[in-house]
Amino acid sequence: MRMASCGGLSAEEEREVNSFLERVNKLREEEKKDAIPKNTAVKFLMARKFDRQRALELYLNHESTRRRESLINIYPLDDYLKQELNTEKLTILPGRDRHGAAIALFTARLHTPACTSTQLVLKGLIYQLDAALESQETQRHGLVFIYDMTESKYNHFDYELSKKILNMLKGGYPARLKKVLIVTAPLWFKAPFKILRLFVREKLRDRVYTVSLSQLTQHIPKESLPRQLGGIAPDTHAPWLLMCANVTANQNADIDSYFSACKKNVERNSRGSVSRRSLSSDMSDTLLISDIDSEESKETINEKHNCEDKEKEVQINGDEKAEKEVTVEKEDSCVNNSGKRRRESDPILESGSVKKTVDSSMDYNNSETMDQNLEIPKKKRPLSGSSNNMIEDSVHRSETGGLTLDELAEHCRQLKRKGMYQEYALIKLEPPSGTFTVSKAKYNLPKNRYSDVLCFDHSRVRLPVKEADPSSDYINANYMDGYMQKQAYISTQGPLPKTFGDFWRMVWHCQVMVIVMTTKAIERGRLKCGQYWPVEEDAEETCDEFLIINTGTEQHQDYTVTGLFLHNTKTDESRHLTHLQFTSWPDYGVPSSAAAFLDFLHRVRSCQADATARLGNAWQDHPLGPPMLVHCSAGIGRTGTFMTIDICLRKLEDIGRVDVQETVRRIRSQRAFSIQMPDQYVFCHLGLIEHAMRQGKLQEIDWTGFDESDSESD
């Protein structure tokens, strides 16, 4: 790290510099490293207002950060680094704030995590910050970091990178971080922002601002901002990179000339060329800090389906519901020790109880698309006369009634879409068949993702009470019966970060081996579900007493299968789970064909059968195994659709008849409002018919005049 002249120090500051050098260079001598020059010492002392002890801590943190992130050697002639620098995602602006601080600008929409690495971005950041810190004015007055999220999408956001930049700037880099300005943050950023704030010292939290474009000039003079941020400063990224190169090459570059010369030329060049950072359109004020922290930001499930023109439930009489303005539901963080890291020398893994490859529930040698004529695997079950009350007590039994496949197809053809909507409307008019007392308790309300999607008291999952807290037994989840199987499923909402610990307690307590997810984490720019499991292979998360490790991921066109190793650190027990996520549900409506959904259901059943077989004699209840956990966002729409089709298919396989309408009624008796939209109700019928056609049990059907509709689903 090169330094410019350090003149202008007071006698007391000179003494602190000498003491700091003596202490640090003694440490470096023990490590057989070269001594640092006086100018480097000044940087660290300036950053901590010449408090020698705090400056020493900063130095040690700085060294540790560079070693940990492999940032010791930065070569500006490296082709990958040059390509990263030329993206213009990060630059140092030529102006300063009103107090003389330098301004670093990160443009989020120019960052594509899949096209670069965190290490490369950090190298580009440090390379430019090192150059900026050659200025004594920057050393004394610090740094303002602008994170411009204008026109950025969720795929531009890199949580791990953001966390590392904050960690470095807050205590691992020799610069005074004066403030962080997050510009035009979209609504989906609210949850990551909540978590990121945990990694910032309390003192620094007061310096993190979420501002609109119009508010930005309250912090930074217009003359110091580029045009895309409402300022008049020209694009100076190319001359800035040239200045960085001169600094690195030890060519005695006058770094202050960059700031002063550009300042003088602001107005003269205000009509200059447009940089890559320029916007395609004007942006309105998007999100204020109050939007992030407001309790009123929690949306209802009805609002979720009425927040855009295309997100309106079709009404039978043709009228449309009025639109409601919504914000994304409030998210809080999981436990503070939550994190992701590579598996290295973990005693649990050393024991041989875990393998790096995916367990037997994941067949990588059989990952081709399922044959269209494959039957969904089914398992022999005891007759209903068995003494097993897991069968006797299910609300879905093998009673007579219902329709054959031919009758079901004709029923749909006769009713058409509109008639099926009316049939669904009659079900929807029926009042809930239970109470919601526990869900409505004041201390449980924050655990509900949507304020109007609550749990029936009679079927809710009860967690073991934790630390004598009676409210700790609550999670927004209900047991659901399958065909001839008591508590075949658990229907739950997409976990909130604040309920991640409860979610994994439920998985452990209920012996869940298969988790079915029918939504993406982000859809239409809205947060649908928290990221409660590690996505990358070999990555791990810690949540409360649970360690979760990704043992392998299998990507398919329409779904993803992930092996998870779940370790309970309190009991020192471990289990292998399978996480299956359906990724082809369209942002609007339902799938045009059920083929992909049926293949997904086939794989879910196969994984459940494998998991049950692995349990062996340890599982003594229903032969189909422990409950499968199924969730979407609210846990009623796509979740109810999945269960309805699975239950109806099993009944068809058993007795050759099915009653979709009655199945939906009974599902709603255990999880209120399941099958949330009319199109989902229609999809259940058409999915059964499509399965029968794939099996050759029905001929092609003429759907002419079926009356397609634009109704939406969860």
Side-chain angles (χ1 to χ4, degrees):
M1 183 182 293
R2 200 180 154 274
M3 281 295 302
S5 172
C6 57
L9 298 181
S10 68
E12 183 178 351
E13 288 174 340
E14 288 283 1
R15 285 194 296 272
E16 291 296 334
V17 170
N18 292 332
S19 298
F20 181 85
L21 279 170
E22 182 180 355
R23 181 76 180 276
V24 169
N25 285 333
K26 184 177 180 181
L27 292 174
R28 293 181 68 86
E29 184 180 359
E30 293 172 356
E31 297 174 355
K32 297 182 179 180
K33 294 180 180 179
D34 294 336
I36 64 169
K38 179 179 180 180
N39 294 330
T40 299
V42 172
K43 276 190 176 182
F44 288 97
L45 286 162
M46 284 277 197
R48 292 297 180 260
K49 299 180 181 179
F50 283 85
D51 183 325
R52 193 187 339 135
Q53 184 58 39
R54 292 178 61 226
L56 179 61
E57 292 173 0
L58 175 61
Y59 166 79
L60 294 174
N61 287 338
H62 174 261
E63 292 292 296
S64 174
T65 298
R66 289 210 170 189
R67 283 195 302 269
R68 184 175 62 252
E69 302 297 339
S70 299
L71 304 173
I72 300 297
N73 298 311
I74 298 177
Y75 303 105
L77 296 181
D78 177 80
D79 288 339
Y80 292 107
L81 181 56
K82 286 196 293 185
Q83 183 178 355
E84 175 67 26
L85 293 170
N86 287 329
T87 63
E88 299 187 39
K89 72 178 68 167
L90 180 70
T91 193
I92 304 296
L93 299 180
R96 295 183 180 274
D97 78 350
R98 295 179 179 87
H99 304 287
I103 305 167
L105 170 63
F106 188 97
T107 306
R109 64 182 173 280
L110 299 181
H111 177 59
T112 305
C115 298
T116 187
S117 68
T118 299
Q119 184 193 57
L120 202 56
V121 178
L122 290 176
K123 282 185 175 182
L125 172 65
I126 289 178
Y127 173 69
Q128 297 184 62
L129 289 182
D130 281 354
L133 214 56
E134 292 292 297
S135 165
Q136 289 186 29
E137 190 174 358
T138 302
Q139 293 173 29
R140 282 205 177 272
H141 300 296
L143 176 75
V144 172
F145 193 88
I146 298 178
Y147 187 57
D148 179 20
M149 302 193 75
T150 310
E151 288 192 346
S152 66
K153 307 297 182 185
Y154 185 75
N155 64 333
H156 297 131
F157 180 66
D158 189 333
Y159 173 77
E160 286 300 316
L161 174 64
S162 301
K163 189 171 69 173
K164 287 182 178 182
I165 290 176
L166 270 179
N167 273 325
M168 185 179 71
L169 293 179
K170 78 177 183 180
Y173 191 79
R176 297 180 183 176
L177 182 60
K178 308 303 288 187
K179 63 177 71 173
V180 177
L181 301 172
I182 303 171
V183 183
T184 59
L187 287 174
W188 56 257
F189 182 66
K190 181 168 62 170
F193 178 78
K194 287 282 188 182
I195 300 173
L196 283 172
R197 281 174 62 91
L198 296 176
F199 293 93
V200 180
R201 295 194 313 271
E202 187 173 353
K203 182 178 179 181
L204 185 57
R205 287 178 197 173
D206 295 333
R207 302 178 190 174
V208 179
Y209 301 85
T210 306
V211 299
S212 63
L213 278 176
S214 62
Q215 294 172 320
L216 184 57
T217 53
Q218 298 175 17
H219 299 268
I220 307 293
K222 192 174 183 180
E223 292 77 15
S224 298
L225 291 171
R227 285 183 293 278
Q228 71 268 19
L229 292 179
I232 60 175
D235 174 33
T236 57
H237 188 63
W240 166 245
L241 290 184
L242 180 61
M243 177 62 71
C244 292
N246 291 337
V247 169
T248 305
N250 294 311
Q251 294 183 3
N252 295 318
D254 182 5
I255 191 70
D256 288 312
S257 67
Y258 167 74
F259 296 101
S260 59
C262 289
K263 185 175 182 180
K264 293 176 183 177
N265 292 328
V266 163
E267 295 192 12
R268 182 157 56 98
N269 295 320
S270 61
R271 297 181 180 274
S273 61
V274 178
S275 82
R276 293 182 60 193
R277 295 188 303 276
S278 297
L279 302 181
S280 60
S281 61
D282 292 334
M283 296 295 294
S284 59
D285 299 352
T286 305
L287 184 67
L288 306 182
I289 191 73
S290 58
D291 295 325
I292 291 178
D293 294 328
S294 172
E295 276 294 339
E296 284 72 29
S297 64
K298 180 169 285 190
E299 69 174 332
T300 65
I301 196 67
N302 288 326
E303 287 173 327
K304 181 164 72 76
H305 289 283
N306 288 276
C307 56
E308 296 179 0
D309 287 341
K310 290 185 176 181
E311 294 182 58
K312 295 176 182 176
E313 179 177 345
V314 170
Q315 303 298 296
I316 305 306
N317 60 8
D319 294 334
E320 295 179 341
K321 288 184 179 178
E323 288 186 71
K324 298 180 182 178
E325 186 176 344
V326 302
T327 54
V328 180
E329 61 273 13
K330 183 174 182 179
E331 300 265 10
D332 283 310
S333 69
C334 187
V335 292
N336 290 346
N337 62 345
S338 204
K340 181 165 65 176
R341 54 192 184 278
R342 300 289 294 180
R343 297 189 299 167
E344 295 177 359
S345 63
D346 191 308
I348 299 169
L349 307 178
E350 300 278 344
S351 67
S353 61
V354 188
K355 295 182 179 179
K356 186 173 181 179
T357 55
V358 179
D359 61 82
S360 60
S361 67
M362 299 183 63
D363 185 3
Y364 283 92
N365 297 320
N366 193 24
S367 59
E368 291 89 7
T369 303
M370 298 292 179
D371 187 282
Q372 296 294 311
N373 295 319
L374 276 177
E375 289 200 16
I376 292 180
K378 46 191 175 183
K379 207 164 186 172
K380 294 291 183 181
R381 61 179 63 80
L383 298 174
S384 58
S386 166
S387 60
N388 191 340
N389 64 354
M390 296 291 287
I391 295 174
E392 291 286 345
D393 294 341
S394 172
V395 298
H396 306 284
R397 304 186 186 93
S398 60
E399 63 263 80
T400 57
L403 305 171
T404 65
L405 282 171
D406 289 317
E407 291 169 344
L408 177 66
E410 184 61 24
H411 174 74
C412 294
R413 285 186 67 253
Q414 292 296 324
L415 282 184
K416 301 182 180 178
R417 185 178 294 273
K418 184 176 181 180
M420 296 176 74
Y421 282 175
Q422 292 170 338
E423 191 173 84
Y424 168 77
L426 294 176
I427 298 175
K428 198 170 181 179
L429 288 174
E430 298 173 5
S433 56
T435 59
F436 307 98
T437 305
V438 178
S439 279
K440 289 181 177 180
K442 184 176 181 180
Y443 44 77
N444 287 331
L445 287 177
K447 302 177 186 179
N448 300 320
R449 175 171 285 275
Y450 299 101
S451 61
D452 57 350
V453 180
L454 307 175
C455 289
F456 279 138
D457 294 321
H458 67 269
S459 59
R460 74 177 182 92
V461 176
R462 290 171 171 81
L463 301 177
V465 174
K466 192 175 182 180
E467 298 174 355
D469 177 9
S471 68
S472 62
D473 79 337
Y474 176 75
I475 187 170
N476 192 309
N478 292 96
Y479 285 115
M480 309 283 281
D481 292 351
Y483 178 66
M484 303 279 284
Q485 181 182 3
K486 181 78 171 173
Q487 298 181 352
Y489 318 95
I490 292 172
S491 175
T492 188
Q493 65 183 17
L496 295 156
K498 70 170 68 176
T499 65
F500 283 0
D502 295 336
F503 178 86
W504 288 113
R505 280 204 298 139
M506 175 171 66
V507 168
W508 187 267
H509 175 67
C510 300
Q511 297 182 270
V512 171
M513 307 299 289
V514 172
I515 300 172
V516 181
M517 180 176 179
T518 58
T519 184
K520 300 171 188 171
I522 300 288
E523 291 184 359
R524 291 164 281 179
R526 289 186 176 85
L527 192 62
K528 294 282 188 174
C529 177
Q531 186 62 53
Y532 60 88
W533 78 102
V535 176
E536 297 177 4
E537 186 171 345
D538 289 337
E540 64 183 57
E541 301 281 351
T542 301
C543 199
D544 290 356
E545 66 265 37
F546 298 103
L547 171 68
I548 309 102
I549 301 175
N550 180 325
T551 59
T553 300
E554 177 185 323
Q555 298 283 350
H556 292 263
Q557 182 176 348
D558 302 298
Y559 61 90
T560 301
V561 184
T562 303
L564 296 177
F565 172 81
L566 181 64
H567 180 75
N568 188 324
T569 59
K570 283 188 175 180
T571 64
D572 202 29
E573 297 174 287
S574 303
R575 296 174 187 168
H576 288 279
L577 313 180
T578 306
H579 183 280
L580 300 102
Q581 181 183 16
F582 188 68
T583 55
S584 288
W585 199 284
D587 282 355
Y588 301 100
V590 295
S592 57
S593 166
F597 192 80
L598 291 169
D599 287 341
F600 176 68
L601 177 58
H602 180 286
R603 187 59 186 274
V604 169
R605 285 191 180 183
S606 176
C607 289
Q608 175 73 1
D610 290 343
T612 305
R614 289 198 309 273
L615 289 174
N617 293 331
W619 180 253
Q620 296 294 322
D621 291 312
H622 196 282
L624 291 182
M628 289 190 292
L629 191 153
V630 188
H631 77 83
C632 45
S633 182
I636 56 177
R638 301 178 198 181
T639 298
T641 303
F642 177 90
M643 293 177 182
T644 298
I645 292 179
D646 190 36
I647 291 167
C648 289
L649 283 177
R650 289 199 184 277
K651 188 168 185 177
L652 278 170
E653 293 159 1
D654 192 33
I655 65 172
R657 304 182 74 85
V658 69
D659 188 338
V660 178
Q661 187 178 29
E662 186 58 31
T663 299
V664 171
R665 278 199 178 98
R666 294 181 184 185
I667 282 180
R668 289 168 74 97
S669 74
Q670 295 183 316
R671 175 83 170 168
F673 314 122
S674 292
I675 303 294
Q676 184 187 350
M677 306 296 289
D679 275 349
Q680 294 167 348
Y681 184 73
V682 175
F683 183 77
C684 290
H685 288 78
L686 300 187
L688 296 174
I689 292 171
E690 188 168 346
H691 172 72
M693 292 170 62
R694 294 174 74 184
Q695 299 299 312
K697 297 176 182 178
L698 277 179
Q699 300 299 314
E700 288 290 333
I701 298 171
D702 181 10
W703 295 106
T704 303
F706 186 69
D707 186 26
E708 291 293 338
S709 173
D710 293 329
S711 180
E712 297 305 321
S713 81
D714 175 28

